[in-house]
Amino acid sequence: MRVPTSYDSAQLHIAADLRAAGVRTAASEAAGDLVERGVREAWGGDRDISLRAAVEAVLQRRAVTPAFRSQVAFHLDSNFVQEWSGDADALSAWQIDEDEGFGGPDVLFPGGYGQVADHLARGLPVRLQEPVTAISYGPGGVVVTTRRGEHHAGHAVITLPLGVLKAGSVTFSPPLPERTRAAVTALGMGSYMKTWMRFDRIFWPERFDWHAHLAPAPGIWSEWVSLAKLDGAPVLLGFNAGSRARRMESWSDERIVADAMPVLRDMFGARAPEPVAVQVSRWTRDPYARGSYSFPAVGSTPEDRRALAAPVAGRLVLAGEAVHDRYPSTVHGAYLSGVRAARTIAALARS
C-alpha cells in the first residue's frame, strides 16, 4: 500500500515576530533568484565554494532587510539543507544540482520500508546479528570476517554506508584504492533527523500534507508532514537537518519535544496539546549508519561517486545511495546501485 503526498499541498506558517514585521510570504521567487545568481557567480570562480558563501557574496552587495535575509535563509534550508542533509556552509555551490529527478509521485509506505527489504530478501540466506569487522580480497577471492567467523566468496557487493566507510570501522586488506578512499573523504555524510509525534487528536488543517515554519532563525523545526491521511492518524513528522540534527541526536526525547512545542504552538495556536508518544531517528549515532545519507560537499564532484562504483581488484563492487551518480541520497538510487553492482559482479564472474 502506498499513499501519495504532494509538496504542492503545503501551508506556510510565519513566525509571530516576522508577522509583526510585516512578512506575509516566503518571497520564494525573489529568494530563489538570489540563490541562483549566487550559484551562477560561484561557477565563474576558479574553485568551489560553499552554497552559503555563494549566497552571502550576493547579499553583501545588496541593501536587504533582516526579514528578507530570513526568507533567503528559509529558501536555503527548505530547498537544499533539508534536501541534502548537510549545512549550507558545507554544501558545494558547484554540485548542489548534481542529482536528477525521478518520475512518479512522492508516496508514504504505511507498512514501512521494511516491506521492500523483506520482498527482495525472499529465498535468500540472510544472516543477522553478525556485524562485519574486516574484508580481505585478492586473486583467490574475498574473505569477510564477522564477530562470529569468516565467510568466503569469489566476489562481494559492499553496501557499507558512506559514514561507516569514513569511520573506518571495517578494515579492508589490502586498503581500498587511493581513488576510492579519496572519494570517501571528499563526499559529505549528512544528518537528517525525523521526529514522529502522536497526539490525542488532530489539531492542524488536515487538507495539507506539508506545513512549513518561516522564522528568523532558519532550520529549527521548519518542515513538518502530516500523516492524517493515513487512516486519520493524529501524527506530525518534524524534520531537522545538518549540524543541528547532529546536536539534537544527543538530546533526550523529552528535550526534543520541549524544543518542538513552541514552534507547533506558534503554527497552530497556544492550545496545541503535548504529544502522547514520540519516536526519534538518530542515524548519526547508529554505528552501522553514522549518518543519514551523503551530500555533495565543497570540492566533491560526480566523479567521486563514479569512483566509488568502480570495481575493486575485480573482486569488490560498492553499492548504496552514495555510489549512484544520477540519484544520490535516495532510496531508489541505493536500490539501482545495487542492481548495477549485481550485474557487474555477474560480468566479473563470467570473465
Side-chain angles (χ1 to χ4, degrees), residues 20-241:
V23 175
R24 295 294 178 266
T25 72
S28 299
E29 185 173 350
D33 288 346
L34 187 143
V35 172
E36 288 182 12
R37 176 176 290 277
V39 171
R40 286 197 305 271
E41 292 182 2
W43 268 105
D46 57 2
R47 62 179 180 86
D48 193 10
I49 60 174
S50 73
L51 178 60
R52 187 182 303 281
V55 171
E56 190 61 32
V58 179
L59 283 171
Q60 288 180 353
R61 300 197 305 267
R62 300 186 179 186
V64 298
T65 64
F68 183 63
R69 276 188 170 269
S70 294
Q71 290 165 321
V72 171
F74 175 79
H75 183 86
L76 284 176
D77 179 73
S78 60
N79 288 276
F80 302 103
V81 176
Q82 298 278 347
E83 183 76 11
W84 284 109
S85 76
D87 293 336
D89 56 9
L91 290 170
S92 162
W94 285 2
Q95 304 300 332
I96 53 167
D97 293 324
E98 71 167 346
D99 61 327
E100 298 181 21
F102 198 80
D106 293 304
V107 298
L108 300 173
F109 285 41
Y113 267 123
Q115 300 170 94
V116 177
D118 290 345
H119 175 78
L120 295 173
R122 289 180 305 171
L124 297 178
V126 179
R127 295 175 180 267
L128 302 177
Q129 303 298 320
E130 195 167 350
V132 174
T133 59
I135 300 170
S136 61
Y137 59 96
V142 180
V143 179
V144 176
T145 302
T146 75
R147 293 179 184 172
R148 294 186 178 181
E150 293 183 347
H151 302 280
H152 297 255
H155 304 82
V157 177
I158 308 299
T159 59
L160 296 170
L162 179 66
V164 174
L165 291 172
K166 282 180 171 289
S169 50
V170 175
T171 302
F172 286 85
S173 180
L176 290 172
E178 181 179 354
R179 183 65 187 93
T180 307
R181 288 181 279 122
V184 169
T185 300
L187 293 166
M189 188 65 172
S191 181
Y192 195 44
M193 195 179 93
K194 299 180 180 181
T195 303
W196 291 263
M197 295 187 184
R198 174 177 285 275
F199 299 87
D200 58 6
R201 58 184 172 84
I202 295 173
F203 54 85
W204 55 90
E206 294 183 51
R207 66 184 184 277
F208 296 107
D209 292 343
W210 288 85
H211 294 272
H213 189 245
L214 170 57
I220 301 176
W221 300 105
S222 58
E223 291 194 351
W224 299 79
V225 64
S226 167
L227 303 188
K229 61 169 50 178
L230 302 183
D231 297 326
V235 176
L236 285 172
L237 170 56
F239 302 91
N240 288 276

Side-chain angles (χ1 to χ4, degrees), residues 154-156 309-317 341-351:
H155 304 82
V312 176
R315 293 294 175 182
L316 308 179
V317 180
R343 289 172 177 165
T344 302
I345 290 288
L348 289 171
R350 290 194 299 267
S351 62

Side-chain angles (χ1 to χ4, degrees), residues 2 11-12 30 58 70 146 155 166-167 184 206 208 232 248 261 264 275 277 318 320-322 337:
R2 294 171 294 174
Q11 184 177 34
L12 175 67
V58 179
S70 294
T146 75
H155 304 82
K166 282 180 171 289
V184 169
E206 294 183 51
F208 296 107
M248 290 177 66
M261 289 311 300
L264 288 177
L318 274 62
E321 57 79 19
S337 80

